[in-house]
Amino acid sequence: MKNTFTFILASLLALSLLTGCAATSVALGKKDLEVQTKTSTSVFVDPVSRDKRSVYLDVRSGVMEFDRNAFSRVIKDQFAASDKGYRIVDDPDQAHFQMLVYVLNLEEANLSAAHSALQEGYVGGGEVVAGGAVGAVIGANRGHTWGGAALGAVAASGMSMVANALVKDVTFMLVCDISIRERVADGVYVRRDTQLGAQVSDGGSSQSRVSEVTDRKDYRTRVVTTANKANLELPEAQDAMFQKTAYAMAGFF
């Protein structure tokens, strides 16, 4: 009986140690904010003369938590800071480039979800030892060392549960679909085909194809930015995520 109890006690201590180590590992390994930006497809717009380096920016989103005005300002600042001479203008008809941005997600996620979004494209342990030692001292005073160690293990396990509740590995994800439309040379026309689908009833749907001739060619890509840190909150992550994403967008030009 005593051997069985000792085995159970050892198992509790081991489990407590593992959970405590996990919380401590997250707290130490994720103490600094890490922001990464990746693009689903590389975009290379054609080089143009300085007088044509004008870009009309249109940012849209249906995400309530997304601050569209703040994001637009960050993008404009990135273009202004660039030495390539591209500038943001207000008239889409006069701009040589149009950059249309739609933000699909700004939410807490995980790295697997971020990877899937990118692939989809455009469309302690110290508290356990201490707890066991304190319990052993208490038990020794009572004449039952193993009973005191059990008390220590229970205390340590409780501390580990609290640690895991207080330390959380958090990742936020920002997903942007981007269409860059470039005006083509005089005499060149582009045919654009668009497939439209609609659910007309519970029993079926309709498909429509729209063909048009335009003077702009279209580049499409998706930018996914992630921010990761222990106990991260969105206000802390947002500015860095906006900066990284805007830097990637300005880099298309």
Side-chain angles (χ1 to χ4, degrees):
M1 183 70 179
K2 184 176 179 179
N3 289 336
T4 301
F5 185 83
T6 301
F7 174 77
I8 296 174
L9 173 60
S11 299
L12 286 173
L13 284 171
L15 179 61
S16 181
L17 177 63
L18 289 174
T19 55
C21 284
T24 301
S25 177
V26 171
L28 295 177
K30 305 286 186 175
K31 63 183 180 65
D32 296 322
L33 179 64
E34 181 178 352
V35 182
Q36 294 185 350
T37 296
K38 295 182 180 180
T39 305
S40 63
T41 303
S42 298
V43 172
F44 300 94
V45 302
D46 294 335
V48 295
S49 58
R50 186 166 292 271
D51 62 300
K52 294 181 179 179
R53 296 178 189 177
S54 54
V55 182
Y56 173 77
L57 175 65
D58 185 5
V59 178
R60 303 181 185 184
S61 175
V63 180
M64 181 180 295
E65 297 80 6
F66 175 71
D67 190 337
R68 183 172 58 182
N69 292 329
F71 188 49
S72 297
R73 287 194 298 270
V74 173
I75 297 174
K76 292 176 182 178
D77 290 343
Q78 284 290 345
F79 273 88
S82 173
D83 60 354
K84 295 182 179 179
Y86 286 91
R87 62 194 185 280
I88 302 296
V89 297
D90 293 329
D91 190 342
D93 294 328
Q94 296 300 319
H96 188 77
F97 297 94
Q98 297 176 357
M99 185 163 68
L100 314 180
V101 181
Y102 190 84
V103 176
L104 289 85
N105 301 89
L106 177 57
E107 60 187 9
E108 185 174 344
N110 55 52
L111 296 180
S112 295
H115 178 73
S116 296
L118 187 67
Q119 291 297 109
E120 184 182 17
Y122 181 84
V123 188
E127 70 276 10
V128 176
V129 177
V134 169
V137 171
I138 295 173
N141 291 334
R142 295 178 180 175
H144 298 288
T145 302
W146 56 268
L151 291 174
V154 172
S157 180
M159 293 171 67
S160 295
M161 292 177 64
V162 172
N164 285 324
L166 295 177
V167 180
K168 184 180 179 183
D169 186 2
V170 180
T171 297
F172 282 98
M173 174 179 69
L174 173 65
V175 182
C176 302
D177 274 352
I178 302 168
S179 172
I180 300 175
R181 299 175 181 177
E182 177 185 1
R183 191 185 303 278
V184 296
D186 292 340
V188 177
Y189 296 95
V190 178
R191 174 178 169 175
R192 180 185 300 148
D193 295 325
T194 305
Q195 187 78 27
L196 303 176
Q199 190 78 21
V200 295
S201 69
D202 290 341
S205 61
S206 66
Q207 298 288 331
S208 302
R209 181 183 294 274
V210 178
S211 296
E212 59 182 331
V213 176
T214 177
D215 63 348
R216 293 183 182 274
K217 54 184 177 181
D218 202 354
Y219 307 85
R220 293 180 177 179
T221 189
R222 171 172 288 187
V223 175
V224 177
T225 299
T226 58
N228 177 251
K229 185 185 175 184
N231 297 337
L232 181 63
E233 299 287 343
L234 182 57
E236 180 183 1
Q238 179 175 279
D239 186 60
M241 295 178 76
F242 284 4
Q243 292 285 348
K244 280 266 193 176
T245 305
Y247 184 85
M249 291 179 182
F252 296 147
F253 298 88

